[in-house]
Amino acid sequence: MKNFESGTSEKLEALPVPEVVIREEPGIQLLSLLLKGENDYWGETETPLAKETTEYFSANPLSQEILDALHYFYDQGVDEESLYNLSLVYQHPERKEEIFKFITKYKPQIDDLELIFGKLVSIIDLFSRSFDNSPLSEKIANEIRRDKDEREATLEERRSRVEELINFYQPRRETSPIQTVVYVPTDPLFKKSSGASFLVSPKEQIIVSNIDNPLNQDHEFLHGIINPIVEKISQSLTEVQKLKLTELASQWLKSDYGEGHFSLLAEELIRTYTEIFEKGETLKTETEFLTQVQGLGEDKFRQAREVNQVFNQRCVELGIESLTDFQSQAKQYYERYERNKLRQLVLELYREYANRPDKKVDFEHFILDNLPPSL
């Protein structure tokens, strides 16, 4: 890795701390309801409001016109992320050009965006007319208002957290020109562990993240900083280096994000920072992990499954129902979820960056100079 001495970096204009606001996005909420109405297993299923929503659609199923439109989207290769991006244009025509540009660039398989957008707006309007006066609509609105009030009360805390992240990465204004970060009140149909980040313009980032999951709120905000940097890294990599990145990524990450190097690197840069580096943690070797599992007690195992949603989901995926199952499948668990050569590399780079002698060197400068030669 390169050593940085004082004065070696070209100092560009740093990103000021953006304005942080709380704002509702009706397009997102109405789309979530459509997805829930089409599939009652979609999103959150366990909360009282989620169960009441399922009951509502059982008694008031979506019209055939709406179902046909949703199935048409799927047949045309329009994924959920693209639908949410398009839903942000609902009641906000000023966002259309930027969001169409984004989808065209990153989802080139999607044809005739104008037709798809028109159909989406049509079914959102159709559904909204019948749903808006329902008792369930009022309950969801009350939940959103309550969440919004709670967020407003802790807004300065969230702004301070955004400032901490900016101070660490020192993003450049020309790379990440974000001026406003919008946190949307918690969508009661989203799973608590889920989140999403959208750039509706180069200067405005919209974040969907549960109020009780601050780690995910950080994660989604960091996409606005990290993704543009990964774009630049990607342009500097050879095809062999891109394949190497995919090879180094964990099996678990690839099962969620596919084989594309861009998503794998962006996710790992963010997750390694929020889940490992910032907490001062280290990565366990296989021997350390297996030893820890063999010494685990029944109470600790049961507690971990109750409080750690990620761990519980992994156990479900592997068919682990008891401590005995976990201990007998510990090696398989490690290979699938814990072995992560890309995380080890990224963690080493974060440590190097934190200890750089020239603090004027920003993260973009550092990672562009040091990641490619490490592959």
Side-chain angles (χ1 to χ4, degrees), residues 161 165 168-169 197 205 214-230 253 257 262-279 342-343 346-347 350 363 367:
R161 181 59 183 146
L165 295 170
F168 178 80
Y169 285 97
S197 173
Q205 180 183 15
L215 183 68
N216 184 257
Q217 291 177 47
D218 291 351
H219 179 109
E220 299 303 341
F221 168 69
L222 284 175
H223 272 297
I225 293 175
I226 294 298
N227 285 23
I229 295 175
V230 172
L253 199 61
Y257 292 93
F262 185 100
S263 295
L264 295 172
L265 179 57
E267 283 296 318
E268 198 57 76
L269 283 169
I270 294 170
R271 290 167 185 256
T272 301
Y273 178 79
T274 59
E275 298 173 11
I276 304 296
F277 175 79
E278 193 177 32
K279 295 179 180 179
L342 181 56
R343 176 162 289 191
V346 169
L347 182 58
Y350 271 126
F363 184 74
I367 202 73

Side-chain angles (χ1 to χ4, degrees), residues 119-231:
K119 283 181 175 289
L120 180 61
V121 170
S122 177
I123 64 173
I124 287 177
D125 277 335
L126 178 61
F127 172 72
S128 179
R129 286 197 294 270
S130 63
F131 180 75
D132 283 354
N133 294 322
S134 68
L136 178 61
S137 175
E138 184 60 26
K139 285 185 179 182
I140 290 176
N142 288 337
E143 180 65 19
I144 289 173
R145 280 193 291 268
R146 181 195 62 76
D147 182 283
K148 186 177 181 180
D149 288 344
E150 286 189 26
R151 287 181 189 263
E152 293 283 3
T154 59
L155 189 58
E156 187 55 38
E157 181 180 331
R158 175 53 23 197
R159 184 188 180 281
S160 295
R161 181 59 183 146
V162 166
E163 185 173 12
E164 286 177 14
L165 295 170
I166 285 177
N167 288 340
F168 178 80
Y169 285 97
Q170 299 179 28
R172 301 175 183 177
R173 187 197 287 267
E174 57 101 12
T175 303
S176 303
I178 299 168
Q179 294 181 4
T180 305
V181 178
V182 179
Y183 282 93
V184 178
T186 300
D187 183 336
L189 299 182
F190 258 53
K191 286 186 176 293
K192 183 177 178 179
S193 57
S194 299
S197 173
F198 307 95
L199 284 175
V200 295
S201 80
K203 297 180 179 180
E204 184 175 15
Q205 180 183 15
I206 292 180
I207 294 172
V208 180
S209 185
N210 194 289
I211 192 172
D212 296 322
N213 192 345
L215 183 68
N216 184 257
Q217 291 177 47
D218 291 351
H219 179 109
E220 299 303 341
F221 168 69
L222 284 175
H223 272 297
I225 293 175
I226 294 298
N227 285 23
I229 295 175
V230 172
E231 190 87 52

